[in-house]
Amino acid sequence: MTTMTTVTDLYPSRGATEVSVPRKDPVVWSAPGAPGPIATAELESFERDGFLAVDQLIRPDEVPVYQRELERLVTEPEIRADERSIVEPQSKEIRSVFEVHKISEVFANLVRDERVVGRARQILGSDVYVHQSRINVKPGFGASGFYWHSDFETWHAEDGLPNMRTVSVSIALTENYDTNGGLMIMPGSHRTFLGCAGATPKDNYKQSLQMQDAGTPSDEALTAMASEYGIKLFTGKAGSATWFDCNCMHGSGDNITPFPRSNVFIVFNSVENEAVEPFAAPIRRPEFIGARDFTPVK
């Protein structure tokens, strides 16, 4: 006889009303003084603010390698036709390509790079696997942004991640100016979970990857959080990176400048926080969006 393990839902969302609850998980999971590429002061800053900016995660001489690979991925017809490619509704240009660590050896090597995975292990205090990877492309003259949201709210509700033991890194492959749709984060917002109102439609991911709807906070909640935490805009040259906690409230604006903004985005989850069934969605999202392969990155 098979028995089902019940996982307690620590962060209810997608109900009749919006709810706000304190975070119940650590931010930094490793023991104090644990070895890794992040200095103690930087780790303390990450714990306090929910993010860490790195001026040069990859060297200037390495950047062109990733830029050429990005260009290949967004121009090859076979990749454009793949379901893992998301196309802009207006311009019909590729907006995102998912699972880049599986379709590109160049990005697979980046995931395994100790400068990258080493920081993830240090923050999460365990071996890690890739929950999601993608390149985000924002060409100039009208590429649309990503509305305010907490990634964990979606990953919990729709992918079944039980705990906040997940960290993301966004690595700039073009210069991120303060005008071309850069990442914005509310510092300290990672300490409060905002459960959004409204049920999750079936196959919600098909719409949400182009325009967020379910899992979107109310204007009132966003106003209150921005008033309490403020908003930090991230800029940096190609090769710079921003690490941020899974529960940070963040978003980005449209890019109406002539200057493209392209980043590679990698989500690491602890192997001790494997996805279960979705907590607030009728079906799982596809595995290229929310992985079910929990093999540690080595």
Side-chain angles (χ1 to χ4, degrees):
M1 179 178 178
T2 302
T3 57
M4 298 294 291
T5 302
T6 302
V7 179
T8 302
D9 185 356
L10 298 176
Y11 302 102
S13 192
R14 311 286 174 97
T17 59
E18 196 171 56
V19 295
S20 177
V21 297
R23 182 187 186 109
K24 296 177 172 64
D25 292 305
V27 178
V28 175
W29 289 73
S30 60
I38 307 176
T40 300
E42 291 177 325
L43 210 54
E44 291 171 350
S45 174
F46 180 88
E47 185 166 23
R48 180 187 68 242
D49 297 329
F51 58 79
L52 175 65
V54 181
D55 289 339
Q56 188 183 95
L57 185 66
I58 56 177
R59 299 187 310 271
D61 63 294
E62 296 175 288
V63 169
V65 175
Y66 300 107
Q67 290 175 332
R68 288 192 295 269
E69 184 67 354
L70 180 144
E71 183 65 19
R72 182 186 73 82
L73 291 173
V74 300
T75 55
E76 280 198 359
E78 300 83 7
I79 293 175
R80 183 184 179 87
D82 195 293
E83 66 172 344
R84 291 173 287 191
S85 294
I86 310 302
V87 176
E88 282 275 357
Q90 301 300 323
S91 69
K92 304 305 179 185
E93 298 290 332
I94 285 183
R95 173 192 180 106
S96 301
V97 179
F98 282 80
E99 261 191 349
V100 290
H101 71 296
K102 290 193 174 182
I103 62 178
S104 164
E105 189 61 28
V106 171
F107 286 113
N109 288 335
L110 181 63
V111 165
R112 293 190 291 263
D113 192 308
E114 191 60 25
R115 292 171 296 180
V116 178
V117 70
R119 283 177 165 87
R121 292 191 191 108
Q122 190 177 1
I123 290 169
L124 301 180
S126 69
D127 279 335
V128 297
Y129 70 92
V130 176
H131 177 69
Q132 184 186 106
S133 72
R134 67 178 187 262
I135 50 171
N136 287 336
V137 183
K138 274 192 179 180
F141 302 117
S144 55
F146 292 84
Y147 198 67
W148 290 105
H149 64 287
S150 154
D151 287 329
F152 179 75
E153 192 278 339
T154 296
W155 299 337
H156 181 72
E158 300 187 39
D159 296 339
L161 295 191
N163 296 96
M164 294 181 184
R165 199 170 179 179
T166 314
V167 67
S168 302
V169 61
S170 177
I171 306 172
L173 301 182
T174 57
E175 185 156 0
N176 285 210
Y177 300 102
D178 58 3
T179 53
N180 65 343
L183 174 68
M184 297 180 288
I185 294 179
M186 297 184 187
S189 59
H190 62 305
R191 295 194 172 279
T192 301
F193 175 75
L194 189 66
C196 298
T200 309
K202 186 178 180 181
D203 290 340
N204 176 58
Y205 78 94
K206 293 179 180 178
Q207 177 181 335
S208 67
L209 294 178
Q210 293 181 331
M211 184 173 294
Q212 188 87 358
D213 187 12
T216 301
S218 68
D219 291 352
E220 294 78 11
L222 288 171
T223 299
M225 294 184 83
S227 298
E228 181 176 356
Y229 301 120
I231 296 173
K232 166 74 173 175
L233 171 66
F234 292 88
T235 60
K237 294 189 178 298
S240 63
T242 304
W243 290 85
F244 58 104
D245 179 81
C246 59
N247 191 46
C248 282
M249 189 62 66
H250 67 288
S252 63
D254 296 349
N255 182 14
I256 62 172
T257 75
F259 310 114
R261 175 182 175 265
S262 299
N263 292 41
V264 58
F265 181 78
I266 307 163
V267 181
F268 293 100
N269 187 41
S270 169
V271 295
E272 298 172 12
N273 190 42
E274 292 181 0
V276 294
E277 291 305 310
F279 286 90
I283 59 172
R284 299 175 179 179
R285 297 196 298 175
E287 291 197 26
F288 69 84
I289 301 174
R292 295 281 161 172
D293 178 356
F294 310 129
T295 305
V297 176
K298 296 295 185 183

